Amino acid sequence: MKPIIGVTSSKELGKAKYHIQQADTDALLQAGGLPIMLPHLLQDSDIDQIAERIDGLFAAGGYDVDPTLFGEEPHPNLGTIIPSRDAFELALIQKVLELGKPILGVCRGAQILNVAVGGDMYQDIAAQKEGTLLQHQQQSPVEHGSHFVHVAEGSLLHRLTGTEKLRVNSRHHQANRNVPEPFLISGTASDGVVEAIESKEHHFVLGLQWHPENMAIAADEASKNIFKGFIEACTEEGDE
């Protein structure tokens, strides 16, 4: 049986429609998972049931995270927020972490993962982070690796990719800032932007600031190995 992977969904303001990106489901299917789209459930009992039934959680990219969730007022450069998505994902991530099930978060998913454990983030790196930045909103095809990430030796990300220097794509204006225990920073860009976080206490909990799904379906080996490792961890969870 393929492991069931819950995939978080997005909404457009004022529209009663959920949607997910095909690249997310394609990458998960390619790696051997069975993705299902998750609506924004707000009842604790419903969230508990979802967390119990899925074998792993894929926290997808999307709109910005509400800064009031980490104690800040909105910056002028803050983009669209979807409160129902924030509330659902925070509750679901906390439950999945409690159950010890695998999580892979990308872009926004890496940020909400960090906020769920008490971390915070830059609402806009260009305006709030000191120093000269790389281009983090690339002007090239989505599957193109536009800059490098330096990977911490011995980390989960290092074990998955087998390298200390990854080439990644980049489509974001926010990024994680303070990363609390039990998480650690396992990947950074040369300008100091946090690109990867992971848990020291869980078998597989990984947040990536870039979009490995686009690179995986374009046959990038490191990206394919990230998804393969995630699905293998979810398969082990499903077999228990």
Side-chain angles (χ1 to χ4, degrees):
M1 297 286 289
K2 293 180 178 180
I4 297 173
I5 312 300
V7 180
T8 59
S9 63
S10 189
K11 293 176 74 173
E12 302 296 330
L13 285 177
K15 296 183 179 179
K17 295 180 180 180
Y18 293 109
H19 66 265
I20 56 178
Q21 298 296 320
Q22 184 174 338
D24 294 337
T25 56
D26 284 351
L28 292 165
L29 285 165
Q30 176 181 267
L34 184 60
I36 58 170
M37 183 174 71
L38 302 178
H40 302 166
L41 305 172
L42 299 179
Q43 293 292 327
D44 289 343
S45 58
D46 294 337
I47 293 169
D48 288 349
Q49 284 192 51
I50 288 293
E52 291 281 357
R53 293 188 183 190
I54 61 175
D55 298 310
L57 175 65
F58 182 81
Y63 288 128
D64 290 2
V65 176
D66 184 351
T68 63
L69 296 171
F70 48 92
E72 292 188 4
E73 302 276 15
H75 188 277
N77 293 348
L78 179 71
T80 301
I81 62 170
I82 306 295
S84 64
R85 181 175 185 182
D86 289 335
F88 169 62
E89 291 185 6
L90 284 174
L92 180 61
I93 287 169
Q94 289 164 355
K95 183 63 178 180
V96 173
L97 286 172
E98 179 185 321
L99 294 172
K101 294 187 176 185
I103 300 175
L104 177 60
V106 302
C107 202
R108 172 205 153 84
Q111 296 158 7
I112 197 72
L113 178 61
N114 188 48
V115 172
V117 296
D120 63 22
M121 53 187 284
Y122 293 106
Q123 296 184 50
D124 184 76
I125 54 175
Q128 294 181 304
K129 192 178 187 310
E130 294 182 359
T132 302
L133 295 178
L134 300 172
Q135 184 187 70
H136 286 277
Q137 292 180 306
Q138 68 187 53
Q139 304 300 307
S140 54
V142 295
E143 72 277 5
H144 176 68
S146 64
H147 73 79
F148 294 105
V149 166
H150 301 279
V151 180
E153 185 177 359
S155 63
L156 170 62
L157 182 59
H158 183 240
R159 295 195 300 274
L160 290 169
T161 62
T163 183
E164 295 180 21
K165 190 176 182 181
L166 272 177
R167 190 171 161 182
V168 306
N169 55 2
S170 192
R171 302 197 304 276
H172 65 101
H173 79 107
Q174 300 191 310
N176 286 322
R177 183 170 51 198
N178 296 304
V179 178
E181 297 281 345
F183 285 12
L184 57 81
I185 297 170
S186 57
T188 55
S190 60
D191 58 8
V193 168
V194 173
E195 293 280 348
I197 61 172
E198 59 188 64
S199 174
K200 298 187 292 184
E201 294 183 358
H202 298 83
H203 175 51
F204 194 112
V205 173
L206 179 65
L208 306 175
Q209 187 55 68
W210 65 97
H211 287 271
E213 69 277 9
N214 297 125
M215 301 182 74
I217 60 176
D220 176 73
E221 284 301 319
S223 301
K224 288 170 64 177
N225 286 338
I226 289 168
F227 278 93
K228 180 181 177 183
F230 173 56
I231 296 302
E232 286 177 351
C234 295
T235 302
E236 293 168 7
E237 176 65 32
D239 289 341
E240 290 181 0

